[in-house]
Amino acid sequence: MKNKLLLIMLGFGSIVLAQNVNTKDGGTIYNSQNYVLDKANLNDSFYIDKEYKNANIKNYSGTRGYRYNAFTDDFEYLDGKKYYNLEKQDGLELNFLNGQIYKYTSYYDDNGELKKGYLQVLTDINGNNILYKSVKVSKTELGNTNSYNNMDSVKFRTLINYYIGTGNKIEQVSKSNKDLNKIAKAAKLNISKEKDLIKLVDILNK
C-alpha cells in the first residue's frame, strides 16, 4: 500500500513539475506534456502561418517558438523532435515578440452560446472595450477518407469572426446589433471590415 501511494505521489509530482521548464537564462517558461497530432497527420491547411514565432507567456519568463493550429485551436511547440500542445488554461496569454497577443478565454458566439478558445487581441488589452479576432479552420469530408492529408477527399474552410469584450463579457460582433450599427453609421464605418472595427472600438473607449 505504501509503495502504491509513493508511486501515485511521484506521478503527481512529475505532472506538476512538467508545467514549468527552466530556460538557459535561468527563467521558467510555461510547459505542457500533451502530445500534438503525430507529424504524419499534420496538414499545412491547419495553419494560417506555419512558421514558429517567439513568444512568452504572461507571468512566466523565457521565450519559445509557437505556431497556431487553427483546426484544433491549439498553440504548438517543438521540444526536440516531439510536437506538443500548450496546455489551455483560462486567462492564458501569449505575448509574441512581433507584438501580437493571444488569449485563451470564454466568449459568446452570435447565437449566445458560451464557448472557449484562443482569441487574438487587436486593440489595447487594458482598454474598457477590447476587439478580439478568431480564426478557425474547419474540415469537410468530400468522400470516404482516413487521412487528413487526402486533399482529394477533404476541403478546408477558414472562418473569421470578431468579438468585443466589455468588462468580463466577450460577445461576437453581429450585423444585427443596432447600437453598434448606429455608431458605425455615424462614423461612416463598416463593421464587416477589421480596420473599421478597430476604429469603432477606439470610439467606444473615448
Side-chain angles (χ1 to χ4, degrees):
M1 182 64 182
K2 288 183 179 180
N3 290 336
K4 186 176 181 180
L5 181 60
L6 179 60
L7 288 173
I8 293 174
M9 291 177 67
L10 288 173
F12 177 75
S14 64
I15 294 173
V16 173
L17 290 173
Q19 304 311 306
N20 301 318
V21 171
N22 291 327
T23 60
K24 292 180 180 179
D25 61 4
T28 57
I29 53 178
Y30 191 85
N31 190 44
S32 169
Q33 294 299 317
N34 295 327
Y35 279 94
V36 177
L37 293 169
D38 184 270
K39 183 178 180 180
N41 287 327
L42 294 177
N43 191 298
D44 289 348
S45 297
F46 294 173
Y47 311 94
I48 306 303
D49 186 352
K50 295 182 293 181
E51 183 182 352
Y52 290 89
K53 296 182 178 179
N54 287 333
N56 57 68
I57 307 299
K58 185 178 180 181
N59 298 325
Y60 291 83
S61 60
T63 61
R64 176 194 274 140
Y66 298 98
R67 67 177 180 180
Y68 179 62
N69 186 326
F71 180 69
T72 63
D73 189 36
D74 284 302
F75 271 98
E76 303 172 354
Y77 65 90
L78 277 169
D79 188 354
K81 295 183 179 181
K82 295 180 180 179
Y83 291 82
Y84 293 91
N85 285 324
L86 185 64
E87 186 182 15
K88 298 174 181 176
Q89 287 190 9
D90 290 342
L92 186 69
E93 187 178 307
L94 291 93
N95 294 276
F96 284 84
L97 302 190
N98 63 8
Q100 291 183 335
I101 299 175
Y102 286 83
K103 189 173 183 178
Y104 186 78
T105 187
S106 300
Y107 57 90
Y108 290 91
D109 66 13
D110 202 22
N111 296 318
E113 183 179 346
L114 183 62
K115 295 187 174 182
K116 285 188 176 184
Y118 283 107
L119 298 178
Q120 183 182 357
V121 181
L122 297 181
T123 57
D124 184 0
I125 196 169
N126 297 312
N128 292 325
N129 298 276
I130 306 170
L131 181 65
Y132 297 92
K133 180 180 181 179
S134 166
V135 180
K136 298 291 187 294
V137 170
S138 62
K139 177 171 68 77
T140 302
E141 300 284 357
L142 302 180
N144 294 326
T145 178
N146 292 319
S147 172
Y148 287 116
N149 296 309
N150 189 341
M151 298 306 291
D152 294 331
S153 301
V154 175
K155 182 178 181 180
F156 293 94
R157 183 169 67 99
T158 301
L159 181 64
I160 299 175
N161 287 308
Y162 296 92
Y163 301 81
I164 293 179
T166 305
N168 294 321
K169 192 172 185 179
I170 301 174
E171 297 181 285
Q172 186 172 341
V173 174
S174 172
K175 293 180 180 179
S176 62
N177 188 310
K178 295 181 180 179
D179 292 333
L180 282 182
N181 278 307
K182 184 178 180 180
I183 298 171
K185 185 176 181 180
K188 297 181 180 180
L189 300 174
N190 185 343
I191 63 172
S192 297
K193 295 182 179 180
E194 183 176 303
K195 64 179 182 178
D196 283 3
L197 280 173
I198 292 173
K199 293 177 182 178
L200 179 60
V201 170
D202 287 339
I203 293 172
L204 293 174
N205 284 330
K206 290 181 179 178

